[in-house]
Amino acid sequence: MQTNTVPATDSIVSVKGLRKTYPDGVTALDGLDLAVAKGTVFGLLGPNGAGKSTTLKILTTLSYPDQGEASIAGVDVLSEPDVVRRSIGYVAQRSGADIQSTGMENLVLQARINGFDRGEARHRAAGLLDRFGLSESADRLVKTWSGGMQRRLDMALALIHGPQLLFLDEPTTGLDPEVRAELWDAIRTLCYVDGVTVLLTTHYLEEADRLADRIVIIDHGRVVAEGTPGELKDGMRGDALHIELTSTDMVGLAMGVLSAANLREVVAEGRSVHARADRGAEAVPVVLAALDAAGVRVLEVTVNRPSLDDVFLRHTGRRFATTENERTA
Ligand code: ADP
Ligand code: MG
């Protein structure tokens, strides 16, 4: 094992100026920078086609960039791929498990491929089956397992050699909400209990929000925003207020009242008025009193913390959901 490659910082993953254009002329990465702190869950968030899988393929030594640098635990990914491979695990977007074999057989085979003897292979396989709550089904064919169990097996397979960093490419895409939540628990435990740093990609805003300690939002192969989920949302300056009136007649008057009350970004939509306030909960009683005094009747008021969707909209000028539809259409 390499021992003379001490990382310069606490970053376990460091990426600088990564560029890649595929032979057909599609630019997948356009100067990407990333830094992932050890012992954290890091979310690479972006719509379809943003460059997430390309980034992971380069970091896992499966593909080369045209330009830029990438290192893992201080080891250069391009010049020392064999060293890098020993310290990472990778779960691709599509499962690599053999569904015609049992869970135990899959894991033992994976361990043998990694050079462990028969005894050690069984020992590691049993440990990981137990770790992911799969022991009871160990000797059943994987094709009889649920989607969530198969996904956990994929993670176990990627961890057979005991890597310090696990890459997960859209781990929960296509899973139903309960299974997704169950997988989030497994990922958290892996990171915070077992100490494995996790770099995952996702196109689910909610997933990045709930799971990642730090998020980088990418679009067209470059970073458009980064921070903790909280920081990204705080950057939106204020909560969104949605005020529904009893009729459209009062909308103009209501907008004037809200502007006078120092709310920002006051816009009308049907018989509703949307605006932003620094502290939504405090603004509500003030705004309601002012509207009442002006004779405006209010049906409903809701206050929302800004969402990552707002963040994406702010930085790209497009809604995340719209982007998805465009790309998949
Ligand atoms: P994501 O994982 O965020 O959906 P990808 O990294 O898969 O994005 O793709 C980024 C862009 O590169 C897309 O426009 C995609 O069509 C293109 N692309 C990905 N892989 C290839 C490839 N092997 N050959 C040509 N174009 C590719
Ligand atoms: Mg992808």
Side-chain angles (χ1 to χ4, degrees), residues 48-49 51-54 57 93 169-170 201:
N48 282 327
K52 304 182 297 294
S53 292
T54 301
K57 281 180 197 148
Q93 226 168 314
D169 199 359
E170 300 205 13
T201 74

Side-chain angles (χ1 to χ4, degrees), residues 64-319:
Y64 291 98
D66 302 327
Q67 259 184 58
E69 293 168 20
S71 65
I72 286 171
V75 182
D76 187 66
V77 173
L78 302 174
S79 61
E80 299 190 82
D82 295 343
V83 180
V84 165
R85 266 179 231 135
R86 284 199 285 271
S87 66
I88 61 170
Y90 170 54
V91 180
Q93 226 168 314
R94 285 223 304 253
S95 171
D98 174 9
I99 60 168
Q100 305 289 356
S101 299
T102 68
M104 177 59 95
E105 286 164 353
N106 266 281
L107 283 159
V108 167
L109 176 65
Q110 187 75 9
R112 299 286 282 151
I113 291 169
N114 274 273
F116 297 109
D117 67 31
R118 200 170 294 278
E120 177 64 13
R122 280 199 74 82
H123 177 70
R124 286 185 175 241
L128 282 162
L129 286 162
D130 181 48
R131 166 68 192 71
F132 284 100
L134 298 167
S135 296
E136 279 180 24
S137 310
D139 298 319
R140 274 173 36 208
L141 296 185
V142 172
K143 67 178 178 187
T144 67
W145 290 16
S146 71
M149 290 167 70
Q150 292 190 11
R151 217 61 192 132
R152 279 180 277 146
L153 176 63
D154 290 334
M155 285 170 62
L157 286 165
L159 293 167
I160 200 84
H161 56 303
Q164 54 175 325
L165 171 65
L166 183 66
F167 292 98
L168 298 167
D169 199 359
E170 300 205 13
T172 69
T173 296
L175 297 178
D176 59 45
E178 299 97 273
V179 179
R180 183 176 300 163
E182 181 190 300
L183 216 68
W184 291 347
D185 283 340
I187 292 168
R188 280 193 201 99
T189 308
L190 187 64
C191 181
Y192 307 121
V193 178
D194 302 328
V196 177
T197 304
V198 176
L199 195 173
L200 62 90
T201 74
T202 181
H203 69 263
Y204 294 120
L205 293 159
E206 191 208 354
E207 180 157 287
D209 197 359
R210 298 272 294 274
L211 189 55
D213 296 305
R214 196 168 180 84
I215 298 173
V216 157
I217 303 181
I218 65 169
D219 189 35
H220 299 305
R222 44 168 85 223
V223 174
V224 293
E226 77 173 294
T228 65
E231 282 167 1
L232 287 172
K233 290 182 287 186
D234 287 348
M236 292 306 297
R237 288 187 58 241
D239 301 332
L241 258 70
H242 308 284
I243 301 165
E244 190 182 348
L245 309 178
T246 52
S247 83
T248 50
D249 303 344
M250 293 290 182
V251 166
L253 182 55
M255 289 177 76
V257 171
L258 295 187
S259 297
N262 283 328
L263 297 199
R264 299 184 305 273
E265 299 170 45
V266 181
V267 289
E269 185 185 352
R271 62 175 186 187
S272 295
V273 181
H274 309 297
R276 273 192 193 283
D278 286 333
R279 279 173 289 277
E282 289 172 23
V284 168
V286 178
V287 164
L288 285 180
L291 287 170
D292 188 51
V296 178
R297 298 195 52 205
V298 171
L299 206 60
E300 196 182 344
V301 180
T302 52
V303 179
N304 294 321
R305 291 275 298 128
S307 69
L308 286 179
D309 201 12
D310 295 325
V311 176
F312 187 79
L313 174 68
R314 212 259 198 102
H315 290 281
T316 65
R318 309 192 309 285
R319 284 225 160 258

